[in-house]
Amino acid sequence: MREETIQLDHGSGGRAMHALVERVFARAFANDFLQELNDSAILPPASGRLAMTTDSYVVDPIVFPGGDIGSLAVHGTVNDLAVSGARPLYLTAGFVLEEGLPMAVLDRIVSSMAEAAREASVLIVAGDTKVVPRGKADKIFINTAGIGVVRDDVRLGGGNARPGDVVLINGTIGDHGMAVLCRREGIAMESEILSDSASLNHLIEAMLGAFPGIHVLRDPTRGGVATTLNEIACQSGVGIRLHEEALPVREDVAGVCELLGLDPLYVANEGKVLAVVPAESADVVLEAMRRSPRGRDACRIGEVVAEEPGRVFLRTRIGGHRLLDMLRGEQLPRIC
């Protein structure tokens, strides 16, 4: 009879762990590299520059409106590669499981990861599983690492922004952070806020196909849009000015933020990309974004200026200016 919850021997390296790996992980992530079940995945040589990244996911709750920790882990790592200009190829997945985690929950999360990987056209080729006693973790933590290939004609970098460039975004701000927070705190809304968690590699591929000379791409995750643009402003030694009337924020997201005293510009996103593009090419990139399902609501939100290098400002609807500093402290813990 199959166990209904994770037990300590599922991480022992013995029969139970092998059965778990074969029944859950190998079945869901099935591919030619993983099914060898060796200590390493032996991959074919890749032509071009390689990009590699890693991230860990500890979101609470592990299932939230619009996603779960499994799909989030794939989306986050795919996006870290994509905003570097890479075409994601392979992922690894490491799991820390708490004793007592329902097997049905693990099945759901692993299935979600597998579906997210298929949508992003990446393979999960290696993994690891550890089990810790009750109370020593919070249900499940996931680490993912990824490898991709960067096109020769793409030279993205946070230090590439130049005065006169335009700042674009592919849609609304703050959806993921508010979706997670509302579920965690039991905040009821007339219409549920859904996370924007999604892989952006196909959208970014279309953007770079339209104009390979994009200066900067970044996904504004923890710290939100304001912190991410501060990073770019500091790296490039430029100022960035946002226009309040151009910022796309859902009415319900803005409402919850106002209720809780939060600024949507500092709330995490998991399916958004900021693009810094030469002004003369902005329309071409915008058009390419809007043709993609992940970029239908793309718009301009600001520009790069020579004044106030290293700083980000918001021009308000009444014509004033407000400094947008980097996020200080932890506004929303465990949202990714």
Side-chain angles (χ1 to χ4, degrees):
M1 179 178 175
R2 183 165 70 86
E3 298 90 343
E4 297 301 321
T5 62
I6 290 294
Q7 305 296 313
L8 286 176
D9 63 352
H10 283 125
S12 67
R15 184 183 298 275
M17 193 189 81
H18 282 82
L20 178 72
V21 168
E22 291 182 3
R23 189 192 71 78
V24 177
F25 302 112
R27 180 182 298 177
F29 303 152
N31 59 69
D32 291 343
F33 304 109
L34 186 65
Q35 72 177 17
E36 297 292 332
L37 296 178
N38 291 323
D39 287 344
S40 300
I42 308 301
L43 306 173
S47 176
R49 295 172 293 155
L50 294 179
M52 184 173 183
T53 188
T54 186
D55 207 341
S56 297
Y57 298 86
V58 298
V59 65
D60 174 35
I62 58 175
V63 178
F64 47 83
D68 58 53
I69 190 172
S71 56
L72 178 67
V74 172
H75 296 155
T77 299
V78 164
N79 292 346
D80 284 346
L81 291 169
V83 296
S84 301
R87 179 169 59 89
L89 297 175
Y90 306 110
L91 302 183
T92 69
F95 296 84
V96 177
L97 308 177
E98 183 184 13
E99 179 189 13
L101 176 72
M103 200 66 76
V105 173
L106 179 62
D107 279 331
R108 171 186 170 150
I109 289 169
V110 171
S111 295
S112 180
M113 289 186 76
E115 178 60 25
R118 280 191 289 271
E119 288 181 357
S121 306
V122 297
L123 298 177
I124 298 175
V125 296
D128 180 56
T129 306
K130 297 291 189 296
V131 180
V132 297
R134 294 176 190 271
K136 300 299 183 183
D138 191 357
K139 298 179 278 295
I140 179 172
F141 299 147
I142 302 175
N143 172 271
T144 45
I147 294 177
V149 177
V150 183
R151 290 170 45 166
D152 288 337
D153 57 347
V154 171
R155 299 288 171 179
L156 296 168
N160 293 346
R162 296 290 179 266
D165 286 352
V166 172
V167 182
L168 311 176
I169 193 167
N170 63 316
T172 53
I173 294 169
D175 299 10
H176 174 72
M178 285 299 99
V180 172
L181 185 66
C182 286
R183 175 57 59 90
R184 185 191 303 168
E185 301 302 326
I187 299 173
M189 305 286 295
E190 285 189 12
S191 59
E192 192 171 41
I193 299 173
L194 301 179
S195 167
D196 61 352
S197 183
S199 291
L200 298 169
N201 53 319
H202 298 312
L203 167 65
I204 290 173
E205 188 175 338
M207 295 166 66
L208 292 172
F211 179 62
I214 293 173
H215 286 164
V216 187
L217 291 176
R218 285 283 174 83
D219 51 340
T221 54
R222 285 181 300 174
V225 168
T227 299
T228 302
L229 290 177
N230 266 279
E231 293 169 356
I232 296 170
C234 289
Q235 284 182 269
S236 297
V238 298
I240 295 178
R241 182 167 55 219
L242 297 180
H243 302 274
E244 188 176 33
E245 73 277 7
L247 295 175
V249 183
R250 286 166 49 112
E251 189 174 332
D252 48 7
V253 168
V256 177
C257 284
E258 185 175 359
L259 180 70
L260 300 176
L262 301 173
D263 186 337
L265 284 168
Y266 292 94
V267 176
N269 312 273
E270 289 292 346
K272 295 298 179 301
V273 58
L274 290 164
V276 179
V277 183
E280 60 273 19
S281 302
D283 286 342
V284 172
V285 177
L286 263 179
E287 186 177 339
M289 294 171 79
R290 289 169 177 164
R291 285 197 297 265
S292 169
R294 303 294 182 198
R296 289 195 188 103
D297 299 322
C299 59
R300 303 178 187 222
I301 60 172
E303 66 268 340
V304 179
V305 297
E307 301 82 25
E308 302 284 355
R311 292 190 166 187
V312 179
F313 290 88
L314 178 70
R315 194 180 73 177
T316 67
R317 289 185 174 85
I318 61 173
H321 285 76
R322 177 162 69 92
L323 175 64
L324 298 173
D325 204 352
M326 279 197 181
L327 177 66
R328 297 178 185 275
E330 185 76 283
Q331 183 172 238
L332 299 177
R334 295 191 58 188
I335 42 77
C336 64

